[in-house]
Amino acid sequence: MSSSKLLTPAALAMAGQAAGPSLSRFRILLMATGAGLSVASLYYSQPMLGVLAGDIGASGQAAGLVPTLTQLGYALGILLLAPLGDRHDRRSIMLIKAGLLVLALLLAGLSPSLAVLLPASLLIGVSATLAQDIVPAAATLAPETQRGKVVGSVMTGLLTGILLSRVVSGVVAEQYGWRAMFFIAAATILLTGLAIRRFLPRFQPSTSLAYHALLGSLFTLWRKHGALRRAAIAQGLLSVGFSAFWSTLAIMLHNNPFHMGSAASGAFGLAGAAGALAAPLAGHMADRQGPEVVTRAGAGLATLAFVMLSLAPLCSVHVQLILLAAGAVLFDLGVQASLIAHQAVIYRIDPAARSRLNALLFVCMFIGMSLGSVLASLLLARYGWSAVTMFAALASLLALVVRCCTHSHP
């Protein structure tokens, strides 16, 4: 690689301010697509578990370890690998992770047994953190006055990948088998890696800290920056409600009074994606009016949506379905708008630590999503759907309280 492609942070900022090729619409689209395809790898297996288990001779409970290990690998990858983006060239890290993700997806598709599929799933999760290298790269390439909008566009790709992955894998698995989905996913990541190598610049490391010091600095950043703690805690609380809804929706729709299959929950995923597509508007608003306004509006919108959903069982079945679709759009919009604004908050704390700051934010999100999934399953089994949505509304309200207590400090 020629030295002309080696851009320092200052040079990147100048290029962005000049609206030069470093921030072309094509590069934004490339990063959004890459983030979406990478994170989608985490969720492809979920709708296919029934077919997958029967094909490799595993019990349903054992097959459930596949998405569990994938998520665990993602959490470990965020915590242990994402900070490396501040220490090494982000583009090189993205290419290595893309290569590993291709191999992991191929291994999953070729797995003859669960003993092979489980470690492949763990590796898929670790290497899918490619998405968490792309987002800070977008923030670095963007000029300060457009950073929220650019990050919002890339996050739209990431969030759309999350919401649509289950729909796509369900259709592909039904038509061509579960292995085909892993092979198709591997092909998309291979193309993504080639595009990153061809069209993204190299990034100058922003720190020379050794790896152990880099990890230790995570705790220093957490203690030092109240804005980071508030952003991570508020987004973690919003993620509790987000995960509570989506992790129990299919089960709820399968039971009385709906008796709907997995395709129906996928359709609601499309409704949620419609909300996520508005995320760039949130980034634009954060650029112009400040992220504090957007974080409060997003948490308030999510709270309102979940309160509305908790009242849905009082209505007819037809009205309940309408409210479910509307609620999915509204709370997804609220959660994603808050995420974009919170990223705008943390990225301006310390430009040299963006990968580590992003890692801390997403670790808290993962913790919130895990808690939301576990607690919502217990609430649904014991108290029903209204308890799940009231729980989600309470978590969102607490996030709003966190944001309202920040006063003038975002």
Side-chain angles (χ1 to χ4, degrees), residues 113-127:
S113 65
L114 197 63
V116 178
L117 183 57
L118 290 180
S121 300
L122 183 67
L123 182 57
I124 287 173
V126 171
S127 50

Side-chain angles (χ1 to χ4, degrees), residues 383-398:
Y383 302 108
W385 176 250
S386 290
V388 172
T389 50
M390 289 175 65
F391 166 65
L394 176 60
S396 300
L397 180 61
L398 289 174

Side-chain angles (χ1 to χ4, degrees), residues 190-321:
L190 176 60
L191 292 175
T192 297
L194 293 174
I196 288 173
R197 185 178 186 277
R198 173 65 179 83
F199 296 108
L200 289 189
R202 295 173 62 191
F203 294 80
Q204 180 71 22
S206 57
T207 181
S208 58
L209 289 175
Y211 180 67
H212 69 278
L214 198 65
L215 292 183
S217 69
L218 292 173
F219 300 99
T220 301
L221 289 168
W222 181 265
R223 291 195 306 266
K224 182 178 179 181
H225 299 292
L228 169 63
R229 295 193 299 272
R230 290 187 291 269
I233 292 170
Q235 197 62 45
L237 287 168
L238 289 171
S239 298
V240 168
F242 178 91
S243 181
F245 179 91
W246 289 114
S247 64
T248 57
L249 177 65
I251 299 174
M252 187 273 292
L253 290 175
H254 182 74
N255 296 329
N256 289 322
F258 302 105
H259 300 290
M260 293 181 173
S262 57
S265 60
F268 282 100
L270 293 175
L277 290 175
L281 298 178
H284 183 64
M285 185 180 297
D287 288 332
R288 300 196 58 176
Q289 300 185 20
E292 181 68 15
V293 174
V294 181
T295 59
R296 292 178 180 176
L301 189 59
T303 303
L304 179 63
F306 284 125
V307 169
M308 179 184 73
L309 289 171
S310 69
L311 300 175
L314 301 176
C315 306
S316 65
V317 172
H318 180 70
V319 174
Q320 285 188 57
L321 291 174

Side-chain angles (χ1 to χ4, degrees), residues 32-370:
T33 303
L37 291 173
S38 301
V39 79
S41 302
L42 300 173
Y43 302 98
Y44 288 138
S45 66
Q46 292 182 1
M48 308 189 299
L49 290 179
V51 178
L52 181 154
D55 188 54
I56 62 176
S59 67
Q61 184 176 0
L65 292 173
V66 171
T68 300
L69 283 177
T70 305
Q71 293 288 349
L72 177 61
Y74 193 67
L76 291 173
I78 290 177
L79 184 62
L80 300 178
L81 299 182
L84 291 174
D86 294 330
R87 177 65 177 82
H88 301 282
D89 172 26
R90 282 197 186 98
R91 197 190 72 152
S92 297
I93 293 174
M94 286 188 269
L95 293 176
I96 292 171
K97 287 186 178 180
L100 289 174
L101 184 53
V102 169
L103 293 176
L105 289 166
L106 289 175
L107 181 60
L110 295 170
S111 297
S113 65
L114 197 63
V116 178
L117 183 57
L118 290 180
S121 300
L122 183 67
L123 182 57
I124 287 173
V126 171
S127 50
T129 53
L130 163 63
Q132 299 306 324
D133 296 299
I134 293 176
V135 177
T140 300
L141 288 171
E144 185 176 354
T145 56
Q146 298 178 20
R147 185 166 295 130
K149 183 178 180 180
V150 171
V151 171
S153 297
V154 175
M155 286 302 299
T156 294
L158 186 149
L159 299 166
T160 302
I162 292 175
L163 293 167
L164 297 186
S165 56
R166 300 177 181 91
V167 182
V168 172
S169 65
V171 172
V172 170
E174 184 175 337
Q175 295 296 323
Y176 306 105
W178 65 272
R179 297 180 188 274
M181 186 65 249
F182 285 117
F183 295 145
I184 292 172
T188 64
I189 298 301
L190 176 60
L191 292 175
T192 297
L194 293 174
I196 288 173
R197 185 178 186 277
R198 173 65 179 83
F199 296 108
L200 289 189
R202 295 173 62 191
F203 294 80
Q204 180 71 22
S206 57
T207 181
S208 58
L209 289 175
Y211 180 67
H212 69 278
L214 198 65
L215 292 183
S217 69
L218 292 173
F219 300 99
T220 301
L221 289 168
W222 181 265
R223 291 195 306 266
K224 182 178 179 181
H225 299 292
L228 169 63
R229 295 193 299 272
R230 290 187 291 269
I233 292 170
Q235 197 62 45
L237 287 168
L238 289 171
S239 298
V240 168
F242 178 91
S243 181
F245 179 91
W246 289 114
S247 64
T248 57
L249 177 65
I251 299 174
M252 187 273 292
L253 290 175
H254 182 74
N255 296 329
N256 289 322
F258 302 105
H259 300 290
M260 293 181 173
S262 57
S265 60
F268 282 100
L270 293 175
L277 290 175
L281 298 178
H284 183 64
M285 185 180 297
D287 288 332
R288 300 196 58 176
Q289 300 185 20
E292 181 68 15
V293 174
V294 181
T295 59
R296 292 178 180 176
L301 189 59
T303 303
L304 179 63
F306 284 125
V307 169
M308 179 184 73
L309 289 171
S310 69
L311 300 175
L314 301 176
C315 306
S316 65
V317 172
H318 180 70
V319 174
Q320 285 188 57
L321 291 174
I322 294 175
L323 290 177
L324 282 172
V329 172
L330 291 176
F331 83 74
D332 266 329
L333 174 58
V335 172
Q336 312 316 345
S338 294
L339 175 57
I340 301 306
H342 282 139
Q343 286 181 301
V345 169
I346 67 170
Y347 285 152
R348 68 188 188 188
I349 290 174
D350 184 354
R354 282 185 179 137
S355 289
R356 284 166 286 168
L357 294 167
N358 192 68
L360 288 167
L361 177 66
F362 274 84
V363 165
C364 285
M365 280 183 59
F366 174 84
I367 292 172
M369 291 180 72
S370 299

